[in-house]
Tab-separated table of all heavy atoms in Angstrom:
chain	number	residue	atom	x	y	z
X	356	LEU	N	92.288	37.778	7.520
X	356	LEU	CA	92.964	37.190	6.372
X	356	LEU	C	92.773	38.092	5.168
X	356	LEU	O	91.654	38.284	4.689
X	356	LEU	CB	92.419	35.786	6.079
X	356	LEU	CG	93.117	35.002	4.966
X	356	LEU	CD1	94.572	34.724	5.353
X	356	LEU	CD2	92.393	33.700	4.682
X	357	LYS	N	93.874	38.684	4.678
X	357	LYS	CA	93.845	39.506	3.481
X	357	LYS	C	94.339	38.681	2.296
X	357	LYS	O	94.764	37.538	2.444
X	357	LYS	CB	94.708	40.753	3.672
X	357	LYS	CG	94.258	41.654	4.814
X	357	LYS	CD	92.951	42.347	4.507
X	357	LYS	CE	92.597	43.362	5.595
X	357	LYS	NZ	91.367	44.090	5.285
X	358	ILE	N	94.318	39.273	1.113
X	358	ILE	CA	94.670	38.536	-0.085
X	358	ILE	C	96.130	38.082	-0.085
X	358	ILE	O	96.466	37.047	-0.639
X	358	ILE	CB	94.370	39.376	-1.361
X	358	ILE	CG1	94.512	38.506	-2.616
X	358	ILE	CG2	95.279	40.610	-1.427
X	358	ILE	CD1	94.049	39.204	-3.882
X	359	ASP	N	97.025	38.827	0.584
X	359	ASP	CA	98.447	38.455	0.560
X	359	ASP	C	99.072	38.442	1.951
X	359	ASP	O	100.297	38.446	2.079
X	359	ASP	CB	99.231	39.403	-0.350
X	359	ASP	CG	99.208	40.841	0.138
X	359	ASP	OD1	98.376	41.147	1.013
X	359	ASP	OD2	100.009	41.644	-0.362
X	360	ARG	N	98.246	38.422	3.024
X	360	ARG	CA	98.820	38.477	4.367
X	360	ARG	C	97.778	38.094	5.408
X	360	ARG	O	96.568	38.080	5.151
X	360	ARG	CB	99.346	39.868	4.665
X	360	ARG	CG	98.268	40.886	4.950
X	360	ARG	CD	98.780	42.289	4.896
X	360	ARG	NE	99.269	42.605	3.561
X	360	ARG	CZ	100.061	43.629	3.289
X	360	ARG	NH1	100.477	44.406	4.270
X	360	ARG	NH2	100.450	43.866	2.053
X	361	LYS	N	98.295	37.793	6.602
X	361	LYS	CA	97.444	37.580	7.770
X	361	LYS	C	97.741	38.700	8.757
X	361	LYS	O	98.894	38.983	9.058
X	361	LYS	CB	97.728	36.218	8.399
X	361	LYS	CG	96.858	35.910	9.620
X	361	LYS	CD	97.252	34.598	10.250
X	361	LYS	CE	96.852	33.433	9.378
X	361	LYS	NZ	97.102	32.124	10.052
X	362	ILE	N	96.684	39.333	9.262
X	362	ILE	CA	96.842	40.469	10.161
X	362	ILE	C	96.387	40.057	11.553
X	362	ILE	O	95.264	39.581	11.742
X	362	ILE	CB	96.035	41.681	9.677
X	362	ILE	CG1	96.544	42.139	8.305
X	362	ILE	CG2	96.126	42.826	10.680
X	362	ILE	CD1	95.766	43.287	7.723
X	363	ILE	N	97.284	40.224	12.528
X	363	ILE	CA	96.984	39.886	13.910
X	363	ILE	C	96.877	41.190	14.699
X	363	ILE	O	97.868	41.904	14.873
X	363	ILE	CB	98.063	38.973	14.506
X	363	ILE	CG1	98.120	37.669	13.705
X	363	ILE	CG2	97.794	38.695	15.969
X	363	ILE	CD1	99.230	36.750	14.120
X	364	ASN	N	95.660	41.518	15.123
X	364	ASN	CA	95.416	42.725	15.902
X	364	ASN	C	95.611	42.405	17.375
X	364	ASN	O	94.805	41.681	17.971
X	364	ASN	CB	93.991	43.236	15.649
X	364	ASN	CG	93.757	43.574	14.187
X	364	ASN	OD1	94.261	44.564	13.674
X	364	ASN	ND2	93.005	42.715	13.496
X	365	LEU	N	96.688	42.913	17.953
X	365	LEU	CA	96.998	42.577	19.345
X	365	LEU	C	95.976	43.130	20.324
X	365	LEU	O	95.775	42.588	21.399
X	365	LEU	CB	98.393	43.083	19.711
X	365	LEU	CG	99.568	42.395	19.017
X	365	LEU	CD1	100.870	42.928	19.582
X	365	LEU	CD2	99.507	40.892	19.184
X	366	GLY	N	95.298	44.216	19.956
X	366	GLY	CA	94.326	44.798	20.865
X	366	GLY	C	94.968	45.059	22.214
X	366	GLY	O	96.060	45.595	22.336
X	367	SER	N	94.268	44.652	23.277
X	367	SER	CA	94.820	44.778	24.623
X	367	SER	C	94.799	43.403	25.274
X	367	SER	O	94.190	43.212	26.325
X	367	SER	CB	94.022	45.798	25.435
X	367	SER	OG	92.648	45.495	25.379
X	368	ASP	N	95.409	42.437	24.620
X	368	ASP	CA	95.468	41.064	25.101
X	368	ASP	C	95.965	41.039	26.546
X	368	ASP	O	96.950	41.685	26.898
X	368	ASP	CB	96.393	40.243	24.206
X	368	ASP	CG	96.234	38.748	24.434
X	368	ASP	OD1	96.496	38.312	25.563
X	368	ASP	OD2	95.848	38.048	23.495
X	369	ILE	N	95.300	40.284	27.400
X	369	ILE	CA	95.615	40.282	28.826
X	369	ILE	C	97.035	39.818	29.097
X	369	ILE	O	97.669	40.220	30.074
X	369	ILE	CB	94.604	39.394	29.587
X	369	ILE	CG1	93.184	39.948	29.392
X	369	ILE	CG2	94.923	39.346	31.076
X	369	ILE	CD1	92.107	39.124	30.068
X	370	GLN	N	97.598	38.963	28.208
X	370	GLN	CA	98.942	38.444	28.426
X	370	GLN	C	100.030	39.448	28.039
X	370	GLN	O	101.205	39.242	28.352
X	370	GLN	CB	99.154	37.156	27.608
X	370	GLN	CG	98.315	35.981	28.065
X	370	GLN	CD	98.903	35.280	29.278
X	370	GLN	OE1	99.950	35.668	29.783
X	370	GLN	NE2	98.234	34.249	29.742
X	371	ASN	N	99.679	40.540	27.361
X	371	ASN	CA	100.700	41.403	26.773
X	371	ASN	C	101.158	42.613	27.579
X	371	ASN	O	102.312	43.013	27.468
X	371	ASN	CB	100.238	41.890	25.393
X	371	ASN	CG	100.279	40.782	24.354
X	371	ASN	OD1	101.037	39.830	24.490
X	371	ASN	ND2	99.439	40.901	23.333
X	372	PRO	N	100.300	43.273	28.364
X	372	PRO	CA	100.743	44.504	29.033
X	372	PRO	C	102.022	44.318	29.854
X	372	PRO	O	102.187	43.326	30.567
X	372	PRO	CB	99.557	44.848	29.938
X	372	PRO	CG	98.381	44.279	29.234
X	372	PRO	CD	98.870	43.007	28.628
X	373	GLY	N	102.916	45.292	29.741
X	373	GLY	CA	104.166	45.267	30.485
X	373	GLY	C	105.257	44.441	29.857
X	373	GLY	O	106.382	44.415	30.360
X	374	THR	N	104.955	43.759	28.750
X	374	THR	CA	105.940	42.886	28.107
X	374	THR	C	106.630	43.610	26.958
X	374	THR	O	106.211	44.673	26.513
X	374	THR	CB	105.287	41.610	27.568
X	374	THR	OG1	104.346	41.966	26.535
X	374	THR	CG2	104.544	40.873	28.669
X	375	SER	N	107.696	42.998	26.449
X	375	SER	CA	108.361	43.484	25.243
X	375	SER	C	107.693	42.851	24.027
X	375	SER	O	106.911	41.899	24.147
X	375	SER	CB	109.847	43.106	25.273
X	375	SER	OG	110.000	41.694	25.196
X	376	ALA	N	108.023	43.367	22.843
X	376	ALA	CA	107.476	42.791	21.614
X	376	ALA	C	107.915	41.343	21.452
X	376	ALA	O	107.163	40.515	20.931
X	376	ALA	CB	107.925	43.625	20.412
X	377	LEU	N	109.139	41.026	21.912
X	377	LEU	CA	109.629	39.656	21.816
X	377	LEU	C	108.741	38.712	22.618
X	377	LEU	O	108.387	37.620	22.151
X	377	LEU	CB	111.069	39.584	22.309
X	377	LEU	CG	111.808	38.248	22.098
X	377	LEU	CD1	112.034	37.994	20.621
X	377	LEU	CD2	113.143	38.256	22.845
X	378	GLU	N	108.333	39.126	23.816
X	378	GLU	CA	107.459	38.298	24.646
X	378	GLU	C	106.046	38.247	24.085
X	378	GLU	O	105.363	37.222	24.193
X	378	GLU	CB	107.446	38.832	26.072
X	378	GLU	CG	108.779	38.693	26.789
X	378	GLU	CD	108.828	39.475	28.076
X	378	GLU	OE1	108.768	40.717	28.017
X	378	GLU	OE2	108.931	38.840	29.133
X	379	ALA	N	105.588	39.347	23.476
X	379	ALA	CA	104.267	39.350	22.849
X	379	ALA	C	104.243	38.390	21.663
X	379	ALA	O	103.254	37.676	21.441
X	379	ALA	CB	103.899	40.764	22.398
X	380	PHE	N	105.345	38.342	20.885
X	380	PHE	CA	105.433	37.412	19.760
X	380	PHE	C	105.379	35.965	20.242
X	380	PHE	O	104.904	35.084	19.535
X	380	PHE	CB	106.726	37.650	18.982
X	380	PHE	CG	106.618	38.755	17.958
X	380	PHE	CD1	105.637	39.717	18.052
X	380	PHE	CD2	107.517	38.834	16.908
X	380	PHE	CE1	105.541	40.743	17.124
X	380	PHE	CE2	107.426	39.844	15.963
X	380	PHE	CZ	106.426	40.801	16.075
X	381	ASP	N	105.871	35.736	21.452
X	381	ASP	CA	105.850	34.384	22.005
X	381	ASP	C	104.422	33.897	22.235
X	381	ASP	O	104.195	32.698	22.370
X	381	ASP	CB	106.642	34.358	23.320
X	381	ASP	CG	106.881	32.954	23.836
X	381	ASP	OD1	107.263	32.089	23.029
X	381	ASP	OD2	106.686	32.725	25.044
X	382	GLN	N	103.456	34.817	22.275
X	382	GLN	CA	102.055	34.456	22.444
X	382	GLN	C	101.352	34.216	21.115
X	382	GLN	O	100.198	33.800	21.084
X	382	GLN	CB	101.315	35.565	23.209
X	382	GLN	CG	101.740	35.724	24.654
X	382	GLN	CD	101.329	34.552	25.514
X	382	GLN	OE1	100.231	34.025	25.398
X	382	GLN	NE2	102.239	34.109	26.379
X	383	ILE	N	102.028	34.485	19.996
X	383	ILE	CA	101.445	34.309	18.665
X	383	ILE	C	101.902	32.971	18.104
X	383	ILE	O	103.090	32.765	17.864
X	383	ILE	CB	101.857	35.458	17.719
X	383	ILE	CG1	101.403	36.805	18.301
X	383	ILE	CG2	101.268	35.255	16.332
X	383	ILE	CD1	101.867	38.004	17.499
X	384	ALA	N	100.961	32.054	17.900
X	384	ALA	CA	101.317	30.690	17.504
X	384	ALA	C	102.010	30.641	16.145
X	384	ALA	O	102.842	29.762	15.903
X	384	ALA	CB	100.066	29.814	17.479
Side-chain angles (χ1 to χ4, degrees):
L356 185 64
K357 299 290 186 177
I358 190 172
D359 63 346
R360 75 195 62 197
K361 181 184 289 186
I362 298 177
I363 299 175
N364 300 288
L365 292 185
S367 52
D368 194 298
I369 300 178
Q370 293 280 0
N371 288 335
T374 64
S375 66
L377 188 67
E378 293 168 295
F380 276 21
D381 190 45
Q382 293 291 319
I383 301 175

